[in-house]
Amino acid sequence: MSTVLARIKTWHRPMMVMVAAMSLLVLVATVGMLVDHRQLIGENVWLKPWKFGLAFAAYGATLAWMLSKATRASKTMWTLGTLFAVTGFVDVGFIAAQAARGTFSHFNVNTDTFNVVGQKVFMSGVLGLFGTSMVIAIVLLFQRIGDAAQTWALRIGIGVAAIGMFLGYFIVGVNASAGPRTVHDADGGNVTLVGGHGIGDPDGNGMPLTDWSITGGDMRVPHFFGLHAIQVLLAVVLALNLLATRLSWLRDAKVRARLLGSVAFGYVGFVTVTAWQAVRGQSLIHPDSLTLAAWGVAIGGAALLGAATVLSARRRTTALGAVERHAPRHAMVG
């Protein structure tokens, strides 16, 4: 335990401060959902800060670890991580503050001073979150962290996460052309919203917990899966490394990297298809034949690439084993 804590202390400290704050927010929001029954369009006021706190805690911890492993441009990476941490703290803090006030953080164009100032600060996330993630992704292309599989998991994961963040900001304008609409806050007051999460049905009728629309498209779906690509791919690397202790054909780092690439192909394809599905105004749980076919191409392609890699690696291992068994044994000279 002490060894684990010692390693965590070497992680990017400003980011870990943000992670601690987000973890505390998750606890506060959990209590809030239990004792505060106010709602915004059928959703508890504390659900949104709970989800954002959880997502930023997971993503921030991953970034904090990754930045501590950077071998090049370490000062630049440290600065970028700090900018991300500060922006995340401010943005999610505004979401939590609006929840406490019983009103909307997103799409809210009411003219009260707190909201007007908060919305301007909120937009800093475009540079502080999306911008820093894109630069970190570019810098990662020029350095190696761990073996080939881990390096590519980080490179692809942070790149897809940055795209996921962009899709989150795309949400803001995708429904803006429909014009403003008036809804009620948790206390019954009028709030003017411009834009919305759903496509085809701006406020939608959400699924449990995620609140993703079941009546139209929802850009929060690819936003979520994109944002957490880095955790998924790192989990795949960990699983491959554990399996390599038992499967000889997986001990080759190149094989693990190729398998990681197969999974990444399928995952990126899945995120792409969910974004295309949402733009067409289609709910995640109501895919049409085109969406199912596209998912089939992405997942089937990944499966074929993975199967080809496994077969090739096993044949090579078998062939090497046969050569070693039949190689002449030379007597040792004393």
Side-chain angles (χ1 to χ4, degrees):
M1 187 60 149
S2 59
T3 303
V4 174
L5 291 175
R7 289 178 180 176
I8 291 176
K9 287 181 180 179
T10 66
W11 295 5
H12 190 277
R13 290 189 177 182
M15 192 74 74
M16 290 307 292
V17 171
M18 185 202 77
V19 169
M22 296 301 159
S23 300
L24 179 59
L25 174 60
V26 170
L27 292 175
V28 171
T30 300
V31 174
M33 287 188 287
L34 293 174
V35 302
D36 185 351
H37 302 296
R38 293 178 299 163
Q39 293 194 339
L40 295 171
I41 314 182
E43 176 184 290
N44 187 281
V45 294
W46 291 104
L47 181 59
K48 187 181 291 290
W50 183 86
K51 290 189 293 185
F52 271 83
L54 198 62
F56 272 77
Y59 188 75
T62 305
L63 273 185
W65 165 78
M66 185 191 73
L67 293 173
S68 72
K69 301 294 182 182
T71 56
R72 296 181 182 177
S74 56
K75 290 184 178 179
T76 299
M77 295 285 265
W78 192 93
T79 301
L80 290 170
T82 302
L83 178 59
F84 185 99
V86 171
T87 306
F89 182 86
V90 172
D91 273 22
V92 181
F94 175 70
I95 292 171
Q98 291 289 76
R101 298 176 68 221
T103 192
F104 298 83
S105 53
H106 292 69
F107 319 117
N108 188 340
V109 294
N110 272 19
T111 55
D112 60 282
T113 302
F114 187 89
N115 185 64
V116 170
V117 174
Q119 293 295 339
K120 292 184 182 300
V121 175
F122 205 24
M123 291 306 296
S124 68
V126 175
L127 174 63
L129 300 179
F130 169 68
T132 54
S133 293
M134 282 301 300
V135 176
I136 290 172
I138 293 169
V139 174
L140 277 178
L141 292 175
F142 301 96
Q143 59 185 296
R144 183 167 181 156
I145 299 177
D147 63 14
Q150 181 173 296
T151 298
W152 279 107
L154 292 172
R155 288 172 176 173
I156 298 170
I158 191 69
V160 177
I163 293 171
M165 289 178 195
F166 170 76
L167 292 174
Y169 295 115
F170 180 73
I171 292 171
V172 175
V174 73
N175 279 310
S177 60
R181 64 190 186 285
T182 301
V183 297
H184 297 299
D185 64 20
D187 299 316
N190 290 335
V191 178
T192 302
L193 302 181
V194 174
H197 293 120
I199 299 175
D201 186 356
D203 298 317
N205 292 287
M207 303 177 198
L209 190 60
T210 64
D211 199 44
W212 297 339
S213 179
I214 62 174
T215 56
D218 200 320
M219 290 303 293
R220 288 176 296 181
V221 177
H223 170 64
F224 172 84
F225 286 112
L227 184 65
H228 294 292
I230 190 169
Q231 284 92 15
V232 171
L233 296 181
L234 285 175
V236 171
V237 172
L238 177 60
L240 290 175
N241 288 341
L242 290 174
L243 288 171
T245 62
R246 306 185 66 177
L247 302 173
S248 58
W249 56 269
L250 257 180
R251 289 168 192 162
D252 186 341
K254 291 181 180 179
V255 173
R256 297 196 300 275
R258 288 169 188 154
L259 286 174
L260 183 280
S262 300
V263 175
F265 175 87
Y267 195 89
V268 172
F270 176 76
V271 173
T272 302
V273 175
T274 56
W276 177 57
Q277 180 187 26
V279 168
R280 290 186 295 132
Q282 185 181 114
S283 171
L284 175 69
I285 61 174
H286 298 301
D288 61 13
S289 57
L290 286 175
T291 300
L292 290 173
W295 279 344
V297 170
I299 298 171
L304 287 174
L305 289 172
T309 299
V310 171
L311 288 173
S312 176
R314 294 184 69 174
R315 286 173 182 169
R316 183 171 180 274
T317 301
T318 301
L320 288 174
V323 170
E324 290 175 357
R325 284 194 302 272
H326 293 91
R329 297 184 179 180
H330 299 285
M332 294 182 67
V333 179

